[in-house]
Amino acid sequence: MNSRREFLQKLTGSALALSVLPGTVSAISKEFTEMPYDGPVLRVAIMGLGSYGTRVAEAMRDCKKAKLVGVISGTPAKIKNWQGTYNIPEKNCYNYENFDRIKDNPDIDAVYVITPNALHHDEVIRVAQAGKQVICEKPMALNAKEGEEMIAACKKANVKLLVGYRMHFEPHTLEVIRMRKADEFGKIMFFQGLCGFDIGDPTQWRLNKKLSGGGSLMDIGIYAINGSRYMVGENPIWVTAEETKTDPVRFKEGVDETIQFQFGFPSGAVASCLSTYAMNNLDRFFLNGTKGFAELMPSTNYGPIRGHTNKGEIDQPTVTHQTVQMEEMSDILLRGKQPVVPVDGEEALKDLKIIDAIYLAASTGKKVDLNL
Ligand code: NAD
């Protein structure tokens, strides 16, 4: 494959498809990623060197448009280890006490916050006040009020706030969105999102409400919430929800084990979703319209994502989600690119408003109206 154009044509098959797949084509072929690049590079510091931070760092090794250049951690030994592994200079290393000083560091453009959920609010605001672009992991915050404060702080500091919605750049996902927009499924009537895994270790922060903000819904159910919006192409106007618990010892008060929730959309379409910490390998999106269906299974794990429609297999490349995400986020932050599905703070705030509504509906047993 000699050129970008040839690659794109092979990938999408037609000039029409090219015009509707802007998010999928930039970093998904080995041949393509190996092409020389001399444009701007987003210089990123990762805050929180845990399991997902490590996954992002490893994936960034293959990025051309983004580079890991700094770390923020409370554990000196981890910092040393990362310095060796990723060739990070001493001057780009910070801890949670002194990271506000990052404002005086011209060699870091953005900080990627990958810490437990409850810390995102204060950390994102401090990064914004230091004048750096912010990428924050999902869920962006514990509730909509926190999310609004984070968005306001970033606006005030004139920095952008993006959220790590890696599926928004995943080729099978984007192909279903393209087909839906092209009316290939007809009028959308129904979405089902099933998201779960067995959480394991009862002592981890994910089961501590103070650090997690809740249970499975905050962590894995958010994929069904967000997915229902990008698959159906609308925002819900009402929510109902029911919580069930089989293990009240592991899942304490305020930490949901399993929640089922339902959405109604302005068009009349409905969604039915399940979020759980009690079942492994539950990972399926199903969209049905008057003409046809799309199924993604798995739909949100690290991949390979697989899917088919009533027309057959969804033939798209397998990618490392975090590599593509960071390439695309570089384009968004440095070149003002508009992604097919937004990944900004406002997008994440909608999910937080829905999470608030689901918890309210589950605790009251009442239907909750939404105006997003
Ligand atoms: P983790 O426990 O593996 O890592 C968390 C890191 O934060 C650790 O290095 C820990 O030392 C550090 N930390 C800093 N202050 C802490 C404190 N007060 N208490 C506990 N830890 C503290 O967790 P993780 O799986 O890496 O998750 C981190 C974030 O990333 C969460 O918000 C999670 O939802 C998100 N995440 C996103 C994805 C995704 O696919 N987008 C996947 C996994 C996790």
Side-chain angles (χ1 to χ4, degrees), residues 9-42:
Q9 282 173 346
K10 186 171 177 204
L11 179 73
T12 61
S14 78
L16 178 68
L18 277 180
S19 67
V20 293
L21 268 176
T24 53
V25 291
S26 57
I28 49 185
S29 154
K30 205 158 179 355
E31 295 145 274
F32 183 62
T33 51
E34 281 168 4
M35 286 171 71
Y37 173 77
D38 61 3
V41 173
L42 184 74

PDB file of all heavy atoms in Angstrom, residues 9-42:
ATOM      1  N   GLN A   9      -9.134   3.939   0.483  1.00  0.00           N
ATOM      2  CA  GLN A   9     -10.073   3.330  -0.457  1.00  0.00           C
ATOM      3  C   GLN A   9     -10.223   1.839  -0.171  1.00  0.00           C
ATOM      4  O   GLN A   9     -11.305   1.286  -0.190  1.00  0.00           O
ATOM      5  CB  GLN A   9      -9.621   3.587  -1.891  1.00  0.00           C
ATOM      6  CG  GLN A   9      -9.986   5.026  -2.279  1.00  0.00           C
ATOM      7  CD  GLN A   9      -9.445   5.431  -3.617  1.00  0.00           C
ATOM      8  OE1 GLN A   9      -8.587   4.755  -4.166  1.00  0.00           O
ATOM      9  NE2 GLN A   9      -9.939   6.536  -4.131  1.00  0.00           N
ATOM     10  N   LYS A  10      -9.106   1.198   0.152  1.00  0.00           N
ATOM     11  CA  LYS A  10      -9.193  -0.222   0.460  1.00  0.00           C
ATOM     12  C   LYS A  10     -10.031  -0.436   1.731  1.00  0.00           C
ATOM     13  O   LYS A  10     -10.852  -1.330   1.823  1.00  0.00           O
ATOM     14  CB  LYS A  10      -7.788  -0.778   0.665  1.00  0.00           C
ATOM     15  CG  LYS A  10      -7.819  -2.269   0.846  1.00  0.00           C
ATOM     16  CD  LYS A  10      -6.452  -2.858   0.836  1.00  0.00           C
ATOM     17  CE  LYS A  10      -6.556  -4.347   1.109  1.00  0.00           C
ATOM     18  NZ  LYS A  10      -5.351  -4.894   1.659  1.00  0.00           N
ATOM     19  N   LEU A  11      -9.797   0.458   2.668  1.00  0.00           N
ATOM     20  CA  LEU A  11     -10.465   0.312   3.958  1.00  0.00           C
ATOM     21  C   LEU A  11     -11.976   0.457   3.839  1.00  0.00           C
ATOM     22  O   LEU A  11     -12.740  -0.310   4.406  1.00  0.00           O
ATOM     23  CB  LEU A  11      -9.934   1.394   4.909  1.00  0.00           C
ATOM     24  CG  LEU A  11     -10.548   1.394   6.301  1.00  0.00           C
ATOM     25  CD1 LEU A  11     -10.022   0.213   7.084  1.00  0.00           C
ATOM     26  CD2 LEU A  11     -10.239   2.678   7.012  1.00  0.00           C
ATOM     27  N   THR A  12     -12.410   1.458   3.094  1.00  0.00           N
ATOM     28  CA  THR A  12     -13.833   1.783   3.118  1.00  0.00           C
ATOM     29  C   THR A  12     -14.575   1.341   1.873  1.00  0.00           C
ATOM     30  O   THR A  12     -15.789   1.264   1.895  1.00  0.00           O
ATOM     31  CB  THR A  12     -14.033   3.298   3.257  1.00  0.00           C
ATOM     32  OG1 THR A  12     -13.430   3.899   2.122  1.00  0.00           O
ATOM     33  CG2 THR A  12     -13.402   3.824   4.511  1.00  0.00           C
ATOM     34  N   GLY A  13     -13.837   1.094   0.802  1.00  0.00           N
ATOM     35  CA  GLY A  13     -14.497   0.563  -0.380  1.00  0.00           C
ATOM     36  C   GLY A  13     -15.127   1.593  -1.290  1.00  0.00           C
ATOM     37  O   GLY A  13     -15.362   1.320  -2.444  1.00  0.00           O
ATOM     38  N   SER A  14     -15.413   2.794  -0.809  1.00  0.00           N
ATOM     39  CA  SER A  14     -16.035   3.772  -1.695  1.00  0.00           C
ATOM     40  C   SER A  14     -15.794   5.179  -1.205  1.00  0.00           C
ATOM     41  O   SER A  14     -15.572   5.423  -0.033  1.00  0.00           O
ATOM     42  CB  SER A  14     -17.537   3.535  -1.775  1.00  0.00           C
ATOM     43  OG  SER A  14     -18.145   4.057  -0.620  1.00  0.00           O
ATOM     44  N   ALA A  15     -15.862   6.112  -2.174  1.00  0.00           N
ATOM     45  CA  ALA A  15     -15.658   7.510  -1.825  1.00  0.00           C
ATOM     46  C   ALA A  15     -16.753   7.991  -0.890  1.00  0.00           C
ATOM     47  O   ALA A  15     -16.524   8.795  -0.008  1.00  0.00           O
ATOM     48  CB  ALA A  15     -15.642   8.367  -3.089  1.00  0.00           C
ATOM     49  N   LEU A  16     -17.967   7.448  -1.048  1.00  0.00           N
ATOM     50  CA  LEU A  16     -19.079   7.840  -0.181  1.00  0.00           C
ATOM     51  C   LEU A  16     -18.778   7.446   1.262  1.00  0.00           C
ATOM     52  O   LEU A  16     -18.917   8.220   2.192  1.00  0.00           O
ATOM     53  CB  LEU A  16     -20.372   7.171  -0.665  1.00  0.00           C
ATOM     54  CG  LEU A  16     -21.595   7.457   0.194  1.00  0.00           C
ATOM     55  CD1 LEU A  16     -21.987   8.927   0.060  1.00  0.00           C
ATOM     56  CD2 LEU A  16     -22.754   6.564  -0.181  1.00  0.00           C
ATOM     57  N   ALA A  17     -18.313   6.216   1.416  1.00  0.00           N
ATOM     58  CA  ALA A  17     -17.995   5.752   2.761  1.00  0.00           C
ATOM     59  C   ALA A  17     -16.899   6.609   3.377  1.00  0.00           C
ATOM     60  O   ALA A  17     -16.912   6.891   4.570  1.00  0.00           O
ATOM     61  CB  ALA A  17     -17.561   4.298   2.728  1.00  0.00           C
ATOM     62  N   LEU A  18     -15.954   7.058   2.545  1.00  0.00           N
ATOM     63  CA  LEU A  18     -14.879   7.898   3.062  1.00  0.00           C
ATOM     64  C   LEU A  18     -15.422   9.135   3.747  1.00  0.00           C
ATOM     65  O   LEU A  18     -14.970   9.517   4.808  1.00  0.00           O
ATOM     66  CB  LEU A  18     -13.986   8.380   1.899  1.00  0.00           C
ATOM     67  CG  LEU A  18     -12.909   7.423   1.444  1.00  0.00           C
ATOM     68  CD1 LEU A  18     -12.138   8.063   0.311  1.00  0.00           C
ATOM     69  CD2 LEU A  18     -11.989   7.079   2.578  1.00  0.00           C
ATOM     70  N   SER A  19     -16.440   9.723   3.118  1.00  0.00           N
ATOM     71  CA  SER A  19     -16.936  10.987   3.636  1.00  0.00           C
ATOM     72  C   SER A  19     -17.713  10.819   4.933  1.00  0.00           C
ATOM     73  O   SER A  19     -17.910  11.774   5.648  1.00  0.00           O
ATOM     74  CB  SER A  19     -17.806  11.669   2.583  1.00  0.00           C
ATOM     75  OG  SER A  19     -18.959  10.887   2.402  1.00  0.00           O
ATOM     76  N   VAL A  20     -18.159   9.621   5.240  1.00  0.00           N
ATOM     77  CA  VAL A  20     -18.953   9.456   6.460  1.00  0.00           C
ATOM     78  C   VAL A  20     -18.197   8.713   7.563  1.00  0.00           C
ATOM     79  O   VAL A  20     -18.742   8.407   8.579  1.00  0.00           O
ATOM     80  CB  VAL A  20     -20.284   8.714   6.181  1.00  0.00           C
ATOM     81  CG1 VAL A  20     -21.183   9.573   5.315  1.00  0.00           C
ATOM     82  CG2 VAL A  20     -20.032   7.365   5.549  1.00  0.00           C
ATOM     83  N   LEU A  21     -16.930   8.449   7.318  1.00  0.00           N
ATOM     84  CA  LEU A  21     -16.180   7.708   8.324  1.00  0.00           C
ATOM     85  C   LEU A  21     -14.953   8.460   8.826  1.00  0.00           C
ATOM     86  O   LEU A  21     -13.900   7.862   8.987  1.00  0.00           O
ATOM     87  CB  LEU A  21     -15.704   6.379   7.727  1.00  0.00           C
ATOM     88  CG  LEU A  21     -16.622   5.186   7.922  1.00  0.00           C
ATOM     89  CD1 LEU A  21     -16.045   3.986   7.193  1.00  0.00           C
ATOM     90  CD2 LEU A  21     -16.836   4.861   9.373  1.00  0.00           C
ATOM     91  N   PRO A  22     -15.071   9.743   9.103  1.00  0.00           N
ATOM     92  CA  PRO A  22     -13.870  10.499   9.421  1.00  0.00           C
ATOM     93  C   PRO A  22     -13.156  10.008  10.666  1.00  0.00           C
ATOM     94  O   PRO A  22     -11.954  10.123  10.770  1.00  0.00           O
ATOM     95  CB  PRO A  22     -14.371  11.930   9.595  1.00  0.00           C
ATOM     96  CG  PRO A  22     -15.824  11.797   9.874  1.00  0.00           C
ATOM     97  CD  PRO A  22     -16.269  10.575   9.152  1.00  0.00           C
ATOM     98  N   GLY A  23     -13.888   9.454  11.610  1.00  0.00           N
ATOM     99  CA  GLY A  23     -13.261   9.048  12.858  1.00  0.00           C
ATOM    100  C   GLY A  23     -12.540   7.723  12.784  1.00  0.00           C
ATOM    101  O   GLY A  23     -11.744   7.395  13.648  1.00  0.00           O
ATOM    102  N   THR A  24     -12.814   6.939  11.751  1.00  0.00           N
ATOM    103  CA  THR A  24     -12.277   5.586  11.761  1.00  0.00           C
ATOM    104  C   THR A  24     -10.976   5.451  10.992  1.00  0.00           C
ATOM    105  O   THR A  24     -10.300   4.457  11.124  1.00  0.00           O
ATOM    106  CB  THR A  24     -13.267   4.609  11.103  1.00  0.00           C
ATOM    107  OG1 THR A  24     -13.605   5.104   9.836  1.00  0.00           O
ATOM    108  CG2 THR A  24     -14.465   4.385  11.953  1.00  0.00           C
ATOM    109  N   VAL A  25     -10.653   6.429  10.190  1.00  0.00           N
ATOM    110  CA  VAL A  25      -9.627   6.169   9.195  1.00  0.00           C
ATOM    111  C   VAL A  25      -8.232   6.640   9.573  1.00  0.00           C
ATOM    112  O   VAL A  25      -7.318   6.433   8.814  1.00  0.00           O
ATOM    113  CB  VAL A  25     -10.017   6.817   7.848  1.00  0.00           C
ATOM    114  CG1 VAL A  25     -11.205   6.110   7.254  1.00  0.00           C
ATOM    115  CG2 VAL A  25     -10.283   8.286   8.024  1.00  0.00           C
ATOM    116  N   SER A  26      -8.054   7.237  10.730  1.00  0.00           N
ATOM    117  CA  SER A  26      -6.771   7.878  10.926  1.00  0.00           C
ATOM    118  C   SER A  26      -5.700   7.001  11.547  1.00  0.00           C
ATOM    119  O   SER A  26      -4.539   7.286  11.404  1.00  0.00           O
ATOM    120  CB  SER A  26      -6.944   9.132  11.747  1.00  0.00           C
ATOM    121  OG  SER A  26      -7.549   8.793  12.943  1.00  0.00           O
ATOM    122  N   ALA A  27      -6.046   5.940  12.239  1.00  0.00           N
ATOM    123  CA  ALA A  27      -4.966   5.234  12.913  1.00  0.00           C
ATOM    124  C   ALA A  27      -5.255   3.746  13.020  1.00  0.00           C
ATOM    125  O   ALA A  27      -5.001   3.140  14.027  1.00  0.00           O
ATOM    126  CB  ALA A  27      -4.781   5.824  14.296  1.00  0.00           C
ATOM    127  N   ILE A  28      -5.798   3.172  11.967  1.00  0.00           N
ATOM    128  CA  ILE A  28      -6.281   1.826  12.164  1.00  0.00           C
ATOM    129  C   ILE A  28      -5.578   0.782  11.325  1.00  0.00           C
ATOM    130  O   ILE A  28      -5.917  -0.370  11.387  1.00  0.00           O
ATOM    131  CB  ILE A  28      -7.800   1.761  11.957  1.00  0.00           C
ATOM    132  CG1 ILE A  28      -8.156   2.448  10.682  1.00  0.00           C
ATOM    133  CG2 ILE A  28      -8.529   2.359  13.112  1.00  0.00           C
ATOM    134  CD1 ILE A  28      -9.635   2.547  10.449  1.00  0.00           C
ATOM    135  N   SER A  29      -4.604   1.164  10.557  1.00  0.00           N
ATOM    136  CA  SER A  29      -3.867   0.173   9.802  1.00  0.00           C
ATOM    137  C   SER A  29      -2.402   0.270  10.171  1.00  0.00           C
ATOM    138  O   SER A  29      -1.860   1.346  10.306  1.00  0.00           O
ATOM    139  CB  SER A  29      -4.032   0.424   8.306  1.00  0.00           C
ATOM    140  OG  SER A  29      -2.941  -0.092   7.605  1.00  0.00           O
ATOM    141  N   LYS A  30      -1.782  -0.861  10.321  1.00  0.00           N
ATOM    142  CA  LYS A  30      -0.362  -0.868  10.632  1.00  0.00           C
ATOM    143  C   LYS A  30       0.388  -0.104   9.543  1.00  0.00           C
ATOM    144  O   LYS A  30       1.231   0.732   9.818  1.00  0.00           O
ATOM    145  CB  LYS A  30       0.118  -2.316  10.700  1.00  0.00           C
ATOM    146  CG  LYS A  30       1.335  -2.497  11.546  1.00  0.00           C
ATOM    147  CD  LYS A  30       1.435  -3.938  11.997  1.00  0.00           C
ATOM    148  CE  LYS A  30       2.627  -4.272  12.839  1.00  0.00           C
ATOM    149  NZ  LYS A  30       3.622  -3.321  13.091  1.00  0.00           N
ATOM    150  N   GLU A  31      -0.003  -0.405   8.272  1.00  0.00           N
ATOM    151  CA  GLU A  31       0.660   0.285   7.165  1.00  0.00           C
ATOM    152  C   GLU A  31       0.498   1.784   7.320  1.00  0.00           C
ATOM    153  O   GLU A  31       1.414   2.558   7.121  1.00  0.00           O
ATOM    154  CB  GLU A  31       0.055  -0.145   5.825  1.00  0.00           C
ATOM    155  CG  GLU A  31       0.289  -1.592   5.503  1.00  0.00           C
ATOM    156  CD  GLU A  31      -0.900  -2.173   4.756  1.00  0.00           C
ATOM    157  OE1 GLU A  31      -1.850  -2.622   5.409  1.00  0.00           O
ATOM    158  OE2 GLU A  31      -0.858  -2.139   3.537  1.00  0.00           O
ATOM    159  N   PHE A  32      -0.731   2.175   7.698  1.00  0.00           N
ATOM    160  CA  PHE A  32      -1.010   3.599   7.804  1.00  0.00           C
ATOM    161  C   PHE A  32      -0.241   4.223   8.963  1.00  0.00           C
ATOM    162  O   PHE A  32       0.355   5.280   8.831  1.00  0.00           O
ATOM    163  CB  PHE A  32      -2.509   3.804   7.983  1.00  0.00           C
ATOM    164  CG  PHE A  32      -2.900   5.247   8.032  1.00  0.00           C
ATOM    165  CD1 PHE A  32      -2.669   6.066   6.941  1.00  0.00           C
ATOM    166  CD2 PHE A  32      -3.482   5.782   9.158  1.00  0.00           C
ATOM    167  CE1 PHE A  32      -3.029   7.397   6.983  1.00  0.00           C
ATOM    168  CE2 PHE A  32      -3.851   7.109   9.206  1.00  0.00           C
ATOM    169  CZ  PHE A  32      -3.618   7.924   8.112  1.00  0.00           C
ATOM    170  N   THR A  33      -0.239   3.548  10.116  1.00  0.00           N
ATOM    171  CA  THR A  33       0.448   4.141  11.266  1.00  0.00           C
ATOM    172  C   THR A  33       1.941   4.201  11.031  1.00  0.00           C
ATOM    173  O   THR A  33       2.636   4.991  11.648  1.00  0.00           O
ATOM    174  CB  THR A  33       0.182   3.369  12.574  1.00  0.00           C
ATOM    175  OG1 THR A  33       0.452   2.007  12.349  1.00  0.00           O
ATOM    176  CG2 THR A  33      -1.219   3.540  13.081  1.00  0.00           C
ATOM    177  N   GLU A  34       2.451   3.375  10.126  1.00  0.00           N
ATOM    178  CA  GLU A  34       3.883   3.409   9.863  1.00  0.00           C
ATOM    179  C   GLU A  34       4.275   4.489   8.862  1.00  0.00           C
ATOM    180  O   GLU A  34       5.441   4.692   8.584  1.00  0.00           O
ATOM    181  CB  GLU A  34       4.352   2.025   9.384  1.00  0.00           C
ATOM    182  CG  GLU A  34       4.507   1.075  10.574  1.00  0.00           C
ATOM    183  CD  GLU A  34       4.684  -0.378  10.183  1.00  0.00           C
ATOM    184  OE1 GLU A  34       4.767  -0.644   8.976  1.00  0.00           O
ATOM    185  OE2 GLU A  34       4.734  -1.206  11.099  1.00  0.00           O
ATOM    186  N   MET A  35       3.267   5.170   8.295  1.00  0.00           N
ATOM    187  CA  MET A  35       3.598   6.273   7.390  1.00  0.00           C
ATOM    188  C   MET A  35       4.220   7.410   8.174  1.00  0.00           C
ATOM    189  O   MET A  35       3.863   7.644   9.322  1.00  0.00           O
ATOM    190  CB  MET A  35       2.332   6.760   6.670  1.00  0.00           C
ATOM    191  CG  MET A  35       1.873   5.790   5.600  1.00  0.00           C
ATOM    192  SD  MET A  35       0.273   6.255   4.967  1.00  0.00           S
ATOM    193  CE  MET A  35       0.708   7.716   4.062  1.00  0.00           C
ATOM    194  N   PRO A  36       5.170   8.139   7.556  1.00  0.00           N
ATOM    195  CA  PRO A  36       5.831   9.224   8.282  1.00  0.00           C
ATOM    196  C   PRO A  36       4.845  10.315   8.711  1.00  0.00           C
ATOM    197  O   PRO A  36       3.873  10.574   8.010  1.00  0.00           O
ATOM    198  CB  PRO A  36       6.848   9.767   7.274  1.00  0.00           C
ATOM    199  CG  PRO A  36       6.663   9.026   6.021  1.00  0.00           C
ATOM    200  CD  PRO A  36       5.624   7.978   6.185  1.00  0.00           C
ATOM    201  N   TYR A  37       5.105  10.902   9.867  1.00  0.00           N
ATOM    202  CA  TYR A  37       4.225  11.954  10.370  1.00  0.00           C
ATOM    203  C   TYR A  37       5.097  13.095  10.877  1.00  0.00           C
ATOM    204  O   TYR A  37       6.013  12.870  11.671  1.00  0.00           O
ATOM    205  CB  TYR A  37       3.371  11.399  11.517  1.00  0.00           C
ATOM    206  CG  TYR A  37       2.544  12.458  12.223  1.00  0.00           C
ATOM    207  CD1 TYR A  37       1.391  12.951  11.634  1.00  0.00           C
ATOM    208  CD2 TYR A  37       2.942  12.974  13.467  1.00  0.00           C
ATOM    209  CE1 TYR A  37       0.644  13.934  12.272  1.00  0.00           C
ATOM    210  CE2 TYR A  37       2.193  13.947  14.104  1.00  0.00           C
ATOM    211  CZ  TYR A  37       1.044  14.420  13.503  1.00  0.00           C
ATOM    212  OH  TYR A  37       0.309  15.392  14.122  1.00  0.00           O
ATOM    213  N   ASP A  38       4.838  14.293  10.409  1.00  0.00           N
ATOM    214  CA  ASP A  38       5.640  15.411  10.910  1.00  0.00           C
ATOM    215  C   ASP A  38       4.768  16.562  11.421  1.00  0.00           C
ATOM    216  O   ASP A  38       5.188  17.707  11.459  1.00  0.00           O
ATOM    217  CB  ASP A  38       6.650  15.898   9.853  1.00  0.00           C
ATOM    218  CG  ASP A  38       5.930  16.382   8.599  1.00  0.00           C
ATOM    219  OD1 ASP A  38       4.679  16.387   8.596  1.00  0.00           O
ATOM    220  OD2 ASP A  38       6.626  16.763   7.639  1.00  0.00           O
ATOM    221  N   GLY A  39       3.532  16.220  11.827  1.00  0.00           N
ATOM    222  CA  GLY A  39       2.615  17.236  12.370  1.00  0.00           C
ATOM    223  C   GLY A  39       2.803  17.396  13.872  1.00  0.00           C
ATOM    224  O   GLY A  39       3.731  16.838  14.466  1.00  0.00           O
ATOM    225  N   PRO A  40       1.903  18.146  14.499  1.00  0.00           N
ATOM    226  CA  PRO A  40       2.026  18.413  15.935  1.00  0.00           C
ATOM    227  C   PRO A  40       1.812  17.158  16.787  1.00  0.00           C
ATOM    228  O   PRO A  40       1.039  16.270  16.415  1.00  0.00           O
ATOM    229  CB  PRO A  40       0.921  19.426  16.207  1.00  0.00           C
ATOM    230  CG  PRO A  40      -0.057  19.264  15.094  1.00  0.00           C
ATOM    231  CD  PRO A  40       0.714  18.780  13.908  1.00  0.00           C
ATOM    232  N   VAL A  41       2.503  17.101  17.912  1.00  0.00           N
ATOM    233  CA  VAL A  41       2.410  15.945  18.816  1.00  0.00           C
ATOM    234  C   VAL A  41       1.910  16.422  20.176  1.00  0.00           C
ATOM    235  O   VAL A  41       2.437  17.383  20.744  1.00  0.00           O
ATOM    236  CB  VAL A  41       3.802  15.268  18.964  1.00  0.00           C
ATOM    237  CG1 VAL A  41       3.757  14.178  20.025  1.00  0.00           C
ATOM    238  CG2 VAL A  41       4.258  14.692  17.625  1.00  0.00           C
ATOM    239  N   LEU A  42       0.864  15.756  20.678  1.00  0.00           N
ATOM    240  CA  LEU A  42       0.314  16.081  22.002  1.00  0.00           C
ATOM    241  C   LEU A  42       1.201  15.435  23.065  1.00  0.00           C
ATOM    242  O   LEU A  42       1.348  14.206  23.103  1.00  0.00           O
ATOM    243  CB  LEU A  42      -1.123  15.543  22.105  1.00  0.00           C
ATOM    244  CG  LEU A  42      -1.858  15.896  23.390  1.00  0.00           C
ATOM    245  CD1 LEU A  42      -2.267  17.372  23.397  1.00  0.00           C
ATOM    246  CD2 LEU A  42      -3.098  15.015  23.565  1.00  0.00           C
TER     247      LEU A  42
END
